[in-house]
Amino acid sequence: MIDTNIKKVKRLLYLFCLCIGWAQPIFGTTGYLVRKIQVVGNVSIASDLLIARSGLQEGTRVAPTTEQVRNAIRKIAKQDGIKSVAIYLSEVDQTNGLATCVIHVEEHPQLTSYFLEGLTKKEEKALLEKVTIAEHVALSPLFLQKTTDKIRKIFLEQGFRAVKVSTTLIPNQAMAHKATLKIKVSKGKKSKVQQILFEGNNHLDAQLLIYHMKTLQEAPHCTLFQDIFKKSITLAPIRKGGILLQLPKKIDDIKRYFFTHVVLFSSLFTEEKYLKAKENLILFYQSQGFRDVSIAAEWLKPNTAGNLNIHLKINEGHQYRIRRVKWAGNYVYSDQTLNGLLNLKEGGIYDPIYIKSQLAPGLERLTIHDLYTNNGYLFFRAEVVETSLEGHQVDLEIRMQEGKQVTIRQIDIVGNTLTHDYVIRRELLTLPGEKVNLGLVRESLRNLAMLQCFKPEKLVPDMQRDEAKGTVDLIYSVEEQPRFDFKLNGTYTNGISAGLEIGSNNVSLKNIFTGKKPIGGGQHLHLTANLDGKNYKNFSFSFQEPWFWLKESRYILSISFNSGYQTETNIGNHILDHWVYLNMFPIGRQDTKSKIHSIGGQIRLGKKLARHWEAHLGIDYHHHAYQHCVLLQDHSKKSGAVHDFTLELSWMYSTVNHPNYPTSGCMWSNLLTLTPPYTLLGYAPSTPTAIPRLKEFGKLITDIYYFKRLLGNFVLHIRGHAGFLHSLSKNEIGPFERFYLGGTSSIPTRLLGANFVSLRGYPDDSLTPEDYTSQYKGGVLFNKFVLELRYPLMIAPICCYLLGFGEIGDSWLRYDYFNLSNIKKSIGGGVRLILPIPMIPMLGLDCGYRLDPVKDIRSAKSSFEYHFTLGPSIR
């Protein structure tokens, strides 16, 4: 019975094979000669392209025993837009062995249009800027998958951890093989970090670990006062955790303690941030001697609000200490020198991160790498090898490859189209034939940046090294900025004052006489005009030659000349007062206007004393003619002339690293101004009440600036200013050269020569002291201290940064009035914008809140003061 069934099955299979052989002649045994190749089913893909891809040709024989047909199917299937492929023979001529080869394809539908669902118009625009969907693309499953993955990745990077993206094809009824693509995006809520929990951290505090993860931080909280109180009740120095033993010793310790206990913003959770945070966590553990640390387990738990609680189980391992450090391959420097710079103690915690940083270029402090590369050893290499691990102690061997001492073969400059080569070369501290010094290379780049002729972010040195010959070619690449200045500047607080400046700090007077463009020589030439309505006009000319040679010494020569004219109405502020005075007292019309005309100039000679030090000596003379001027507070009108002859001495130290947005360095400038002691030489005014014809004073102004990069891109800026005015005789200080305080701008009379000191949050001139006995206005002493925290929105090509500030300052009529208890204070914030357009100076907007009352009752209704400035402020 079983045999009979098997025979029946065999017959059926044989019959089935015969039917297939009759229906599909391609399965012939000898093959067929292709008479013609025909493509069917294609809509948008050309037939010639599919035939060429298949590899089949007319006149060739198609044999079923080869891989020819299957290979042709595979090749066609790789064509974009193909959904399925089949190849068969038709019009078979069994007698002559001829057949037509038919390639039957089915295409994916083509895109006619697409739309997004689930997003706002703003989100759609931002998404389509990152995801490009070409017109008439084939809507294959692979294309749809890539598109959804790309969109999902974008939203994951934005913190939408539960984002879902789906696609739907809507067939086009009017056109076959066409479809509209609908992309539906369900973002969900942004995933924020709620809490980071640790398990197994037996040696390091959890808050300290969170701080060093950096990219992730918990939900906002403040435990600062709670922690201070907790430490305050354990004041005994002998107790562990007592506050006397826990006081921070460095700025970094203070910063770490503050940001550990004060969190203002919660972090968005992204995979990239999470991976970076775990990497930072491992590196911090290793820096504390736990070389075998690992994350044993991790899991993420969303809470009811959708935020994440991150659980990390730490396997700390053992803490390793250094038992011995051995140097190998060092011949230039002794073990003692290298040990002193490495600063590792036997028995100290093993910190591989610190050791590697000492063998790499240093950003703020000298490292071993800098020690070698600053002495010509450009091919210096160092490798740290753990030679022994016993009892949680490590023996280290630092293997050195000092290499040859490299010499600078030549120095090339590229990119300067306007500035002459010699202007750039004289700022370089590196010379051909000398040993290469990377420290001097970095300092040379700083010098070029401070010229403000090139884009600082584009200053990049290229080193072409030849280790066999022990030489290097230095190539300084620069990108110039337009150096012709046409600037409009001014300020507005209580009124509008405007200024026009034409000139450049890259002029070449030599080119004027040779018929070339007068630019590129690094000389400073400026013509300025300042206007304050019709009441104040000042025109000035200044020229500086930074490389002026006298015999064999180089100096900085500066020459300036200016002419100023100022008028002021002496009648009351109300327009009715002015009308009554002119009509009732016509003879006194000429007295309603006070006039001051000043003319003079200055010549200065400066010299660079050291790498960061510079000093200048100048002689200044101005003649002031005044008529019907109310110069004192008694409102009496005076006329006459004043000879203003001064000797100025200034010295400055600067290591600031950037002209627009400094992130490190400091600057200290001092200006000492002296006049001849006319009184001691026998001069006395003709009348005691008249304005002296000769100015007599001594004045010192000092300014200190400090910049320090903090956490992330935040920059701390601290500056202090102080001024001292003193008489050169036993007589009291006159009305000249006093200090005015308050606001952000003022135009004092040139005759009195007052120095204006800004203090944001207060109206202009509102804090200037007045002596009602002598009728003098202005202080003889001022102090000011500013603390700013800056954050850049962008650095290049447009420099824009936000700032928050706190200011304190005051000015005093006499030295014995000095009292810091009543010093004026203000806080606030602002924004600065520096455009890459020479004619537009720095734009600034500040909002200050004064913490102390002012004498101006009209403006005391609001404690806020807004200041808009054009151009940087000196102090």
Side-chain angles (χ1 to χ4, degrees), residues 491-497 743-745 762-764 865-869:
T491 58
Y492 175 81
T493 304
N494 293 329
I496 298 176
S497 61
T744 58
S745 63
Y762 294 86
D764 284 356
E865 196 77 22
Y866 295 92
H867 309 282
F868 175 71
T869 59

Side-chain angles (χ1 to χ4, degrees), residues 99 113 249 287 305 647 659 860:
S113 62
K249 301 177 178 61
S287 69
L647 180 69

Side-chain angles (χ1 to χ4, degrees), residues 615-671:
H616 295 262
L617 179 64
I619 298 175
D620 183 296
Y621 174 76
H622 279 80
H623 177 268
H624 309 286
Y626 58 99
Q627 181 180 8
H628 307 300
C629 292
V630 179
L631 301 175
L632 305 180
Q633 301 306 300
D634 58 2
H635 301 290
S636 60
K637 302 174 184 177
K638 300 182 182 299
S639 300
V642 173
H643 298 278
D644 187 358
F645 179 81
T646 59
L647 180 69
E648 291 186 355
L649 174 63
S650 64
W651 61 99
M652 182 178 69
Y653 171 84
S654 177
T655 60
V656 175
N657 68 337
H658 199 283
N660 293 333
Y661 189 76
T663 57
S664 65
C666 62
M667 185 172 69
W668 178 37
S669 64
N670 300 271
L671 176 62

